[in-house]
Amino acid sequence: MNYRSLTSLEIEQLQQQFCIADDWNNIQVLEGFNPLYVREVSFSGQIRLGKFEKSVDLPGGVSVHSGIFKACLHNTTVANNVYIREIHNYIANYHIGEDSHIENTNLIVVNEKTSFGNGVRVPVMNEGGGREVPIFDGLSAHLAYILTVYRHDLKVIKNLQTRIDAYADSQKSVIGIIGKSVRIVNCGAITNVRIGDHAILDGVATLKNGTVNSHKEAPVHVGYGVACDEFILSSGVRISDSTLISRCFVGQGSILDKHFSAVDSLFFANCHGSHGEAIAVFAGPYTVSHHKATLLIAGMFSFFNAGSGSNQSNHLYKLGPVHQGVVERGCKATSDSYLLWPARIGAFTLVMGRHTKHSNTSDLPFSYLIENAGESYLVPGANLRSVGTIRDAQKWSKRDTRKDSHKLDQLNLNLWNPYTIQQVMKGLVILENLQQQSPETTEEYNYNNCIIRRSSLVNGISLYKMAIFIFLGNSFIDRLKNSHFDTIHQLREQLTPTTQSGSGEWSDLSGLLVPRNEISLLMEDLSADALTLDEIQSRFESLQLNYTDYSWTWSYHKLLAYWEKSIVEVTLEDFINLVEASKNASISLDSMLYLDAQKEFDQNSHVGFGMDGDDVQKTQDFEAVRGTLKSNPFVRQLLNHSEEQSQLAEEMIARLKMVK
């Protein structure tokens, strides 16, 4: 843009409007600048002003003209059609984008060369240190997972930290940016903060040393009473209601509100924290804590729901707060539940009661972990027949609030996948070994500081077998349903994987499900320092895109191991028996889920309905509020899905019987 100096007439008019400057020659303006809309302003340092041609619409139907009124500006550039009014202290060392609105705010300043929160070390999980993650604008849950968990690979960690530090250095500046169409109203002190386009800062108490990565597609909203120090807020974030955060990264689409407090924590996509507290937490995608007196501390979580008053602690230490815990994807903690770290809880486990025995249930997923008389009882596989588990998995896609077209976190929302079924298979072996190695009269088994009752063990074996058959059978059907085959040879060709990746162990990189051999390849490249930060992100995106192929490779090899044959030895009868077994297992499990759903409509659920009426009115009141079992949308969806899966299985069996 071509700026010019003020004319003598413009300077005279500005002075008549109670404006002052330490040197009028340091003020430059764009052609079309009108001094009429600059009043009671003090200028110092290098100043550049745009044109003020538009009106600004305020809440309540008020309209004001753009311009600068009652403010003090130092070393500041103001773009076109900005509205600034009532700056009680001053604005210094900023570039303010066009159409922005700043009013009734105390201080906006860059007071030193800063990277705006990039490069800040967050001592996540271990309060005593050792797992520090340097945050930056493009941090994903998966990269943070590697930085947190793979500390044993010193070269990889050093290379990643160096890359991130270099990025942080590239962001350093003595000039801050307030983007286009930003609204900053009724705020306190904003110090060393970079603010992206279309951000809304309304009543913020303090912001210090951070970045607000807002843009038009996914604005960031920071509300009343919020105080943030050393932070990065990703696109689409909402923080409000006197929430306090310090040394935190907040991922895309996340919400922190209602007096939530967080220190030394990482929150990734679609997290929601209200009322409670987080300290040194790795909050993977969809970590949710909605209640007062709920504490998340020194742990790694994802797809997690913390009940009211649920908490963890690492207080039984002698060398400092060094203990940590891992709660794998999909777990729930009931009200007043408690876990004493260290502990590791398997995927999709329901935790109820207080647990102080350092349990490790990673290889027994979909379980209930229940306290009884001070002991931790494990009910393997019980969550497989819980309708709540299915509902949780289905709601995640509906609760993805990310509007950004460039998503940092690559999220696999499948309830059943190679990772969870891999754990189920391990669990099945564990349960069968416990059963075989103990006398038939054994009523309770000890496993990793938990107690498993005989009936629970037997049921767990049955449920795990169902899950395995359902997943492998559905994978087989999905592989073939859109394929053409007339002969057994063509069928085998269609089943042959297109990649060898995926046949071994899998890992959950905080939302991204990947074969470990692909992680090994990534680690080799990271060790060689062969990837930029953008290329690392692209690698994660590629892993997500290739999930279906990797998943089939895993299923294919598990099926061959089950049949104990090579693919050329597998018969049509083997294929048909697989689909039959999968269909029958699916019908059995769906029946259990339906029975579980029925409990939500039994007479016990009617308590409190029809307060002043008879039994008929009680039922009418219940159905008016809750509906009926048959009309419930989720139950209908469950029944429809069951019918669809059975139909697909029948159609596949019919096709297989026609193969030559």
Side-chain angles (χ1 to χ4, degrees):
M1 292 186 179
N2 295 319
Y3 287 89
R4 62 169 177 81
S5 298
L6 290 168
T7 66
S8 57
L9 289 176
E10 288 171 335
I11 294 172
E12 182 179 351
Q13 182 174 354
L14 289 170
Q15 289 173 328
Q16 290 175 353
Q17 293 169 183
F18 305 103
C19 294
I20 60 174
D22 60 352
D23 187 342
W24 291 105
N25 292 321
N26 289 336
I27 301 176
Q28 293 187 312
V29 297
L30 288 176
E31 198 61 51
F33 167 77
N34 188 343
L36 178 64
Y37 302 110
V38 181
R39 302 177 185 179
E40 298 182 61
V41 181
S42 173
F43 296 106
S44 62
Q46 300 298 317
I47 300 294
R48 287 185 169 184
L49 303 178
K51 297 176 287 186
F52 305 114
E53 299 173 317
K54 295 181 181 178
S55 293
V56 178
D57 294 328
L58 304 181
V62 177
S63 182
V64 295
H65 201 282
S66 58
I68 309 173
F69 312 96
K70 294 185 179 180
C72 178
L73 304 184
H74 175 76
N75 285 343
T76 294
T77 296
V78 180
N80 294 334
N81 301 308
V82 170
Y83 177 68
I84 299 175
R85 186 182 186 90
E86 298 287 354
I87 305 302
H88 306 302
N89 209 317
Y90 57 88
I91 299 175
N93 305 316
Y94 265 90
H95 183 287
I96 303 172
E98 61 187 37
D99 297 318
S100 287
H101 171 196
I102 305 174
E103 184 175 8
N104 192 33
T105 291
N106 183 33
L107 176 69
I108 303 176
V109 60
V110 171
N111 59 17
E112 60 184 353
K113 194 171 186 179
T114 175
S115 58
F116 305 101
N118 286 280
V120 168
R121 262 54 174 177
V122 176
V124 71
M125 284 189 73
N126 191 324
E127 292 180 87
R131 297 192 186 276
E132 294 83 358
V133 175
I135 61 175
F136 71 103
D137 295 324
L139 183 65
S140 69
H142 330 306
L143 181 56
Y145 181 94
I146 292 173
L147 284 161
T148 303
V149 173
Y150 284 74
R151 303 300 290 200
H152 55 279
D153 198 325
L154 302 180
K155 194 170 184 180
V156 166
I157 298 302
K158 180 181 178 181
N159 289 343
L160 287 174
Q161 290 177 338
T162 300
R163 288 277 186 183
I164 295 171
D165 287 343
Y167 175 83
D169 285 341
S170 73
Q171 302 302 303
K172 284 185 176 179
S173 178
V174 294
I175 300 296
I177 293 175
I178 296 173
K180 300 177 182 179
S181 301
V182 172
R183 175 182 168 88
I184 304 174
V185 178
N186 303 325
C187 293
I190 299 173
T191 307
N192 300 337
V193 177
R194 182 173 58 196
I195 303 169
D197 297 347
H198 293 267
I200 300 174
L201 278 59
D202 193 352
V204 173
T206 60
L207 299 180
K208 183 178 179 180
N209 189 27
T211 296
V212 179
N213 282 315
S214 178
H215 55 84
K216 185 176 182 179
E217 192 177 37
V220 173
H221 185 176
V222 187
Y224 273 86
V226 171
C228 302
D229 179 25
E230 297 190 305
F231 64 94
I232 289 180
L233 308 183
S234 302
S235 62
V237 163
R238 294 181 63 87
I239 302 183
S240 61
D241 307 324
S242 300
T243 289
L244 309 176
I245 70 171
S246 179
R247 290 185 302 279
C248 289
F249 177 92
V250 185
Q252 292 174 320
S254 290
I255 300 172
L256 303 178
D257 59 7
K258 296 179 177 63
H259 307 275
F260 192 76
S261 173
V263 178
D264 297 335
S265 295
L266 307 175
F267 299 88
F268 293 101
N270 300 313
C271 286
H272 193 165
S274 296
H275 298 294
E277 183 178 6
I279 300 173
V281 166
F282 189 116
Y286 290 97
T287 297
V288 175
S289 174
H290 276 172
H291 308 284
K292 292 181 179 179
T294 297
L295 169 68
L296 303 180
I297 185 170
M300 175 176 281
F301 309 85
S302 65
F303 303 91
F304 174 70
N305 193 321
S308 61
S310 60
N311 65 88
Q312 315 85 45
S313 73
N314 57 1
H315 292 161
L316 289 182
Y317 55 75
K318 298 178 181 179
L319 297 177
V322 296
H323 300 306
Q324 64 183 43
V326 176
V327 178
E328 298 187 25
R329 64 160 48 204
C331 291
K332 275 187 174 183
T334 66
S335 297
D336 299 317
S337 62
Y338 169 78
L339 290 165
L340 177 63
W341 298 146
R344 183 171 179 177
I345 310 302
F348 293 95
T349 292
L350 175 71
V351 179
M352 182 181 299
R354 301 180 63 81
H355 302 275
T356 60
K357 298 292 180 68
H358 308 300
S359 304
N360 180 1
T361 70
S362 179
D363 291 337
L364 291 168
F366 297 101
S367 297
Y368 287 175
L369 183 61
I370 303 172
E371 179 217 352
N372 184 15
E375 298 290 343
S376 295
Y377 281 80
L378 191 66
V379 188
N383 238 357
L384 285 168
R385 62 189 180 200
S386 170
V387 72
T389 303
I390 306 298
R391 180 178 173 275
D392 284 344
Q394 292 183 353
K395 73 185 180 185
W396 288 326
S397 60
K398 300 174 184 177
R399 295 185 180 181
D400 190 343
T401 59
R402 295 174 296 171
K403 305 299 182 185
D404 201 323
S405 57
H406 176 62
K407 293 178 173 55
L408 294 174
D409 295 343
Q410 310 304 304
L411 305 184
N412 191 315
L413 305 181
N414 291 308
L415 174 64
W416 291 2
N417 52 69
Y419 175 73
T420 53
I421 300 302
Q422 159 190 288
Q423 302 307 97
V424 164
M425 287 180 168
K426 291 178 181 179
L428 178 60
V429 172
I430 289 167
L431 296 181
E432 289 179 336
N433 286 341
L434 286 173
Q435 188 179 49
Q436 293 167 7
Q437 295 168 8
S438 302
E440 293 184 4
T441 56
T442 301
E443 290 300 321
E444 292 185 341
Y445 305 84
N446 291 313
Y447 173 76
N448 286 358
N449 295 318
C450 297
I451 297 172
I452 303 175
R453 290 195 171 114
R454 181 177 183 81
S455 58
S456 299
L457 183 141
V458 172
N459 288 334
I461 290 174
S462 176
L463 288 165
Y464 280 165
K465 285 181 178 179
M466 284 184 191
I468 293 167
F469 273 117
I470 291 171
F471 179 77
L472 293 178
N474 286 345
S475 296
F476 177 84
I477 293 171
D478 287 342
R479 180 72 177 182
L480 293 177
K481 65 182 179 183
N482 296 319
S483 300
H484 174 77
F485 53 88
D486 293 321
T487 67
I488 187 70
H489 177 71
Q490 290 175 336
L491 174 57
R492 290 167 179 156
E493 281 188 338
Q494 294 294 339
L495 292 175
T496 302
T498 56
T499 176
Q500 289 305 306
S501 287
S503 60
E505 291 280 301
W506 280 57
S507 289
D508 179 2
L509 269 61
S510 195
L512 175 63
L513 302 174
V514 291
R516 286 190 188 170
N517 70 295
E518 288 293 329
I519 299 175
S520 296
L521 294 173
L522 174 60
M523 296 298 286
E524 289 176 9
D525 289 339
L526 294 177
S527 182
D529 201 18
L531 301 174
T532 66
L533 293 175
D534 286 341
E535 287 170 340
I536 294 170
Q537 178 64 23
S538 295
R539 190 74 156 265
F540 291 137
E541 293 170 4
S542 177
L543 290 170
Q544 175 78 338
L545 287 172
N546 290 323
Y547 166 77
T548 300
D549 289 337
Y550 297 150
S551 178
W552 170 245
T553 298
W554 186 86
S555 298
Y556 175 83
H557 285 278
K558 293 303 179 185
L559 283 170
L560 293 184
Y562 165 69
W563 286 315
E564 297 182 337
K565 298 177 181 179
S566 67
I567 188 63
V568 295
E569 297 173 317
V570 182
T571 66
L572 279 173
E573 185 179 4
D574 292 327
F575 293 137
I576 292 171
N577 289 341
L578 168 68
V579 179
E580 284 280 7
S582 177
K583 183 190 73 170
N584 293 335
S586 183
I587 291 171
S588 296
L589 189 58
D590 286 342
S591 296
M592 294 179 188
L593 293 171
Y594 184 75
L595 289 173
D596 193 49
Q598 279 185 320
K599 296 174 185 177
E600 293 292 298
F601 297 88
D602 63 17
Q603 287 303 310
N604 290 329
S605 298
H606 287 212
V607 173
F609 287 84
M611 292 290 291
D612 297 326
D614 55 21
D615 287 343
V616 173
Q617 290 170 323
K618 177 186 289 187
T619 299
Q620 291 173 339
D621 183 32
F622 180 89
E623 292 179 354
V625 175
R626 295 271 304 275
T628 64
L629 179 65
K630 292 183 179 180
S631 67
N632 182 270
F634 177 78
V635 174
R636 289 205 311 270
Q637 185 178 359
L638 177 66
L639 294 174
N640 290 338
H641 176 264
S642 180
E643 291 176 4
E644 290 170 4
Q645 291 301 111
S646 293
Q647 184 176 348
L648 283 173
E650 291 291 347
E651 291 173 355
M652 182 55 63
I653 291 170
R655 290 184 65 188
L656 291 171
K657 288 181 177 179
M658 296 177 64
V659 170
K660 300 174 184 178

